[in-house]
Amino acid sequence: MELSQQQQNAVNHSGSPALVVAGAGSGKTRTLTAKILHLIETGQDPGRILAITFTNKAAEEMKNRLYKLTGMGYSKFSWVRTYHSACLLIFKKHCHLLGYGEPIQICSVYQQKKLVTEALVESNFDKKHASNFISAISRAKNSGNPESYFDFKSHIAGIRVADIFAKYEQKLLEANSVDFDNILLKTRDILRDHADIRKHYQQLFTHILVDEYQDTNNLQDELTRLLLGSHGNLFCVGDDWQAVYGFRGSNVNHFLDFPKRYDNARIFRLEENYRSADEIVQVANGLIDFNADKMEKKCFSKKRGGTVEIHDFFTDAEEAQWVTARAKALNAHGDGIPFDKMAVVYRTKFCSLAFEKTFRLFKIPYRLMGAQGFFERMEVLDINSYLSAAQFPNDDVSFDRVINTPKRGIGPAMVKKIGALKEQGMGLQECARVMVKDRVLTPKVHKNLSDLLDLLDDIRDLTPDEAIDRVIDATDYYGYLKKKLKTEGEFISKKENLEQLRYAAREKSDILEYLEEAALIREDTNDEDEPESGVALLTIHSAKGLEFDTVFVVGCEEKLFPHWRSVDAGAKALQEERRLMYVAMTRAERFLYLTHASYRKGQYANKSRFIDQIEECLP
Ligand SMILES: Nc1ncnc2c1ncn2[C@@H]1O[C@H](COP(=O)(O)OP(=O)(O)OP(=O)(O)O)[C@@H](O)[C@H]1O
């Protein structure tokens, strides 16, 4: 693999912690892959290299690249994983120490919402606050120390967060379930409190590599420290100029303070941008210079001929029309830039609508990316709930979902009646089984409930794809969808999703493994749902890591970008917004257009301060 001198220097380094401060488009992935390859070539066992990627998809891609380069099978790279996936592996092995049994269930977003809602309702509070509590609890866990987090954020809407947290945790424990954040938190507890286990992993991992290091949160940082042996072989790669997840608890200071936090730390810089033309790189550098907190690097590109233009419009509709016309002109009836290599990026999702409309009107193909996560879709949740209820008798959330989906005459009142049988440690499903056994139900309900329970028993030991087929057939799920949905188009799209689900499920041989992956994929919400072809419409967060020939950064207005919440939150949040603009700009290889409108969503808007700053940097 061909490497630049800067990349090679980083790869060759050994003997102390290293931080690779890498600019946009500077080949982080190539450097990380080369590093693993170098370690293997110098005699290291690949199975003892812990390489942390930001998404599951990135881990798969990394393994694929390594397979092609070394000829070694995927299984040799068993510790190329995300933090969550690596921690789950560790946690499952030692979970009995914290009172969990086998198998552990991973609580889905849907289940999480249900449990928090229940916790609120049981305490006589309004369930409308559930989302706020979910975010606060997640932030608390990712801080590494929920209790002290609650000292600082003690109440939401007058309700004590710690009380709802405690109730929610109790519910998780009763279901032998961990939510996404607990995978990290509980693994941290095990490693922190059990010296023998900690030592085992410190000896197992000869090297720890972390990608996208600028986006780690406190808990992930602590885990890294706990897993790192005295050898100090830590190799972190990232770009603090692209740190854009502070809003959900990432802490760029781990990156900025690396030299202070690790003895003998070495810093390497990758400054050549292989993606964008230098005209784009220099303007982006100029913008980031307005940020006070950053590591210095001098990014450049040897490519020339880039375009950076700013355009203003009266309304968002005019803006969309202009973008449409320019995209069409650049495409030149297919002889110019392919639509696939163009992207419209925006700060918030609602901005896509005007573009969807005009693209449709002018028959420009487009793809809306990063929409709803695949595993959060209604039909996928329905089917997965059957599989989950079959595996986890105490998973009330899943059983509650399937008991009357599709409709089988068991409404909420009946479910309540079934639930009234509950005694300590008993799940809703077990109550239903008791009722069927005791024959205390009307004949129709008795039959329908017995059929459901039989179905759950039937699928328990099937492979995931067989189980999905069986559920769809036995419940006439497609018939149900047809009746429920308004249009044939909606039906077809949901049916296609289930076909895709079934196809993906074939890769797993048992349901537990399948459900585990479905839960972990939640990390990759940005990667899902990338349909066919056409101009990409996506948020800047979803665009991170991607590249396009032509990029339109639209909606560059005060309060929209920077977002009003960040404007209110102060300087740190504003710096993150500026980094977001930096990410948006550096997605472009050749053409970069920044646009703003004076009138959007029925309101007057002022040009973004970032546009003024970018104008200052233009030649
Ligand atoms: N040494 C090199 N020589 C030529 N091309 C390179 C080299 N290193 C990387 N590249 C190419 O540069 C492009 C950008 O690389 P990559 O996507 O890994 O960048 P990145 O650092 O992850 O960028 P970003 O953080 O902006 O998403 C890729 O097309 C890659 O193949």
Side-chain angles (χ1 to χ4, degrees):
M1 197 176 354
E2 207 181 307
L3 295 179
S4 70
Q5 195 55 51
Q6 285 189 323
Q7 290 170 335
Q8 192 69 57
N9 292 344
V11 165
N12 291 349
H13 170 76
S14 68
S16 72
L19 176 68
V20 181
V21 182
S26 65
K28 288 189 255 305
T29 317
R30 183 180 292 217
T31 308
L32 207 59
T33 314
K35 179 77 190 180
I36 300 180
L37 198 63
H38 175 75
L39 291 173
I40 296 170
E41 282 168 358
T42 51
Q44 300 296 331
D45 176 356
R48 295 179 63 186
I49 300 172
L50 173 64
I52 300 289
T53 58
F54 198 61
T55 62
N56 292 292
K57 190 177 168 194
E60 287 310 305
E61 285 171 359
M62 176 68 77
K63 284 193 235 182
N64 197 20
R65 254 180 255 121
L66 289 167
Y67 160 67
K68 285 186 184 148
L69 289 165
T70 63
M72 293 177 173
Y74 275 38
S75 59
K76 289 273 182 236
F77 308 102
S78 50
W79 287 100
V80 176
R81 289 172 178 270
T82 62
Y83 272 112
H84 285 94
S85 155
C87 285
L88 183 62
L89 214 56
I90 298 174
F91 174 69
K92 280 200 307 193
K93 209 162 166 199
H94 309 285
C95 63
H96 58 277
L97 293 169
L98 300 182
Y100 293 90
E102 284 279 351
I104 288 278
Q105 184 183 12
I106 305 173
C107 181
S108 70
V109 184
Y110 166 73
Q111 289 164 328
Q112 199 178 6
K113 187 152 188 202
K114 273 224 120 177
L115 295 182
V116 171
T117 303
E118 273 175 29
L120 280 166
V121 171
E122 282 166 18
S123 313
N124 296 321
F125 295 121
D126 195 328
K127 65 180 182 189
K128 75 177 181 198
H129 302 299
S131 307
N132 290 341
F133 274 89
I134 290 172
S135 321
I137 290 172
S138 177
R139 290 291 289 267
K141 289 180 179 178
N142 281 297
S143 74
N145 191 343
E147 285 71 29
S148 66
Y149 184 89
F150 295 137
D151 287 343
F152 138 80
K153 185 160 182 102
S154 60
H155 288 77
I156 292 178
I159 308 164
R160 246 174 70 89
V161 189
D163 293 345
I164 301 301
F165 170 73
K167 250 185 187 297
Y168 168 65
E169 288 301 298
Q170 185 57 33
K171 284 176 186 291
L172 284 177
L173 201 60
E174 276 167 12
N176 198 46
S177 177
V178 282
D179 68 10
F180 217 52
D181 302 313
N182 272 356
I183 296 176
L184 300 190
L185 193 67
K186 302 291 174 191
T187 306
R188 189 282 309 267
D189 291 350
I190 292 170
L191 291 170
R192 184 194 56 193
D193 302 337
H194 297 269
D196 51 333
I197 297 174
R198 186 168 66 242
K199 206 162 155 207
H200 166 78
Y201 288 100
Q202 289 181 348
Q203 283 172 352
L204 173 67
F205 299 130
T206 56
H207 291 80
I208 299 182
L209 284 61
V210 185
D211 196 8
E212 303 278 5
Y213 183 64
Q214 77 282 352
D215 287 325
T216 48
N217 64 35
N218 290 356
L219 190 53
Q220 290 165 336
D221 186 67
E222 192 179 347
L223 281 158
T224 314
R225 283 173 162 273
L226 286 165
L227 291 168
L228 183 63
S230 54
H231 50 67
N233 290 328
L234 176 65
F235 186 83
C236 298
V237 183
D239 181 6
D240 59 307
W241 295 5
Q242 295 188 65
V244 291
Y245 285 105
F247 73 95
R248 68 170 197 208
S250 302
N251 184 353
V252 70
N253 289 330
H254 302 141
F255 191 99
L256 300 176
D257 296 340
F258 193 89
K260 284 189 226 152
R261 296 166 61 243
Y262 290 99
D263 291 340
N264 304 320
R266 279 285 307 272
I267 304 289
F268 296 90
R269 288 185 167 74
L270 306 185
E271 295 169 313
E272 177 164 0
N273 183 326
Y274 296 96
R275 172 188 302 138
S276 311
D278 200 52
E279 291 80 358
I280 296 172
V281 174
Q282 293 315 325
V283 179
N285 284 350
L287 176 74
I288 213 74
D289 249 353
F290 285 87
N291 271 6
D293 302 329
K294 63 178 184 303
M295 285 225 180
E296 286 308 322
K297 56 180 154 11
K298 296 185 174 53
C299 295
F300 68 96
S301 169
K302 289 182 189 147
K303 293 188 193 169
R304 294 288 182 273
T307 296
V308 183
E309 286 178 11
I310 295 170
H311 293 269
D312 63 322
F313 301 94
F314 184 57
T315 64
D316 53 348
E318 283 175 22
E319 178 192 50
Q321 279 162 19
W322 181 84
V323 169
T324 309
R326 182 53 61 104
K328 241 187 155 146
L330 289 171
N331 176 258
H333 299 288
D335 293 334
I337 302 163
F339 286 125
D340 292 3
K341 296 198 166 194
M342 300 183 198
V344 176
V345 303
Y346 32 80
R347 176 66 180 87
T348 16
K349 274 190 187 146
F350 81 82
C351 291
S352 71
L353 195 58
F355 296 91
E356 286 179 67
K357 279 188 192 159
T358 45
F359 282 176
R360 223 176 284 149
L361 193 65
F362 290 94
K363 300 204 164 32
I364 291 193
Y366 69 88
R367 51 200 162 124
L368 198 59
M369 293 166 69
Q372 194 187 21
F374 188 79
F375 287 99
E376 304 308 320
R377 296 196 177 127
M378 161 220 151
E379 63 281 13
V380 175
L381 273 175
D382 281 348
I383 302 302
N384 280 355
S385 295
Y386 274 91
L387 272 58
S388 192
Q391 292 297 323
F392 302 103
N394 277 354
D395 177 1
D396 285 359
V397 174
S398 294
F399 189 69
D400 188 28
R401 184 171 183 114
V402 302
I403 197 166
N404 205 28
T405 307
K407 297 234 174 312
R408 46 173 74 87
I410 309 176
M414 191 66 218
V415 175
K416 213 169 172 182
K417 211 162 145 187
I418 298 173
L421 275 191
K422 262 192 177 188
E423 283 167 25
Q424 190 64 24
M426 229 173 143
L428 194 60
Q429 193 179 142
E430 205 181 330
C431 301
R433 287 184 192 275
V434 171
M435 282 191 127
V436 165
K437 194 164 144 267
D438 294 349
R439 296 198 152 267
V440 290
L441 300 160
T442 62
K444 186 178 157 220
V445 173
H446 177 87
K447 173 162 189 329
N448 290 349
L449 198 54
S450 315
D451 288 351
L452 169 65
L453 294 167
D454 287 348
L455 176 61
L456 297 181
D457 291 339
D458 265 2
I459 62 173
R460 188 162 303 123
D461 297 320
L462 297 182
T463 60
D465 58 323
E466 287 168 347
I468 291 170
D469 274 349
R470 185 77 60 88
V471 171
I472 291 174
D473 272 357
T475 61
D476 184 24
Y477 191 76
Y478 289 144
Y480 156 76
L481 276 186
K482 255 199 156 123
K483 266 191 233 148
K484 184 181 167 82
L485 299 170
K486 288 190 199 85
T487 66
E488 180 72 7
E490 278 179 90
F491 170 70
I492 291 171
S493 134
K494 293 202 181 305
K495 186 162 180 263
E496 280 173 356
N497 285 339
L498 289 179
E499 283 161 3
Q500 170 65 36
L501 182 75
R502 193 186 164 283
Y503 180 75
R506 285 196 331 203
E507 282 178 17
K508 299 285 173 210
S509 53
D510 79 68
I511 294 182
L512 272 178
E513 228 185 295
Y514 161 82
L515 289 171
E516 198 173 292
E517 183 175 82
L520 283 174
I521 290 286
R522 191 186 142 188
E523 283 174 290
D524 289 2
T525 42
N526 293 345
D527 295 331
E528 290 148 12
D529 197 26
E530 287 173 23
E532 319 85 48
S533 58
V535 182
L537 291 179
L538 69 177
T539 62
I540 302 170
H541 280 103
S542 307
K544 195 154 175 281
L546 303 181
E547 55 190 21
F548 302 91
D549 179 278
T550 302
V551 172
F552 299 92
V553 187
V554 302
C556 300
E557 293 128 34
E558 281 294 300
K559 296 194 178 151
L560 181 55
F561 194 13
H563 195 271
W564 59 268
R565 269 206 221 123
S566 306
V567 175
D568 291 349
K572 286 244 178 272
L574 260 177
Q575 292 198 49
E576 181 155 316
E577 291 284 324
R578 194 174 283 107
R579 293 194 291 261
L580 209 46
M581 177 58 100
Y582 177 83
V583 169
M585 295 169 77
T586 53
R587 299 308 95 201
E589 290 168 17
R590 286 198 298 162
F591 293 99
L592 171 63
Y593 300 103
L594 301 129
T595 63
H596 57 94
S598 308
Y599 199 67
R600 186 180 303 273
K601 263 208 316 181
Q603 283 170 353
Y604 283 102
N606 289 325
K607 181 167 57 162
S608 165
R609 70 191 73 191
F610 299 149
I611 291 292
D612 291 332
Q613 292 163 357
I614 290 167
E615 267 170 345
E616 276 185 44
C617 308
L618 286 173

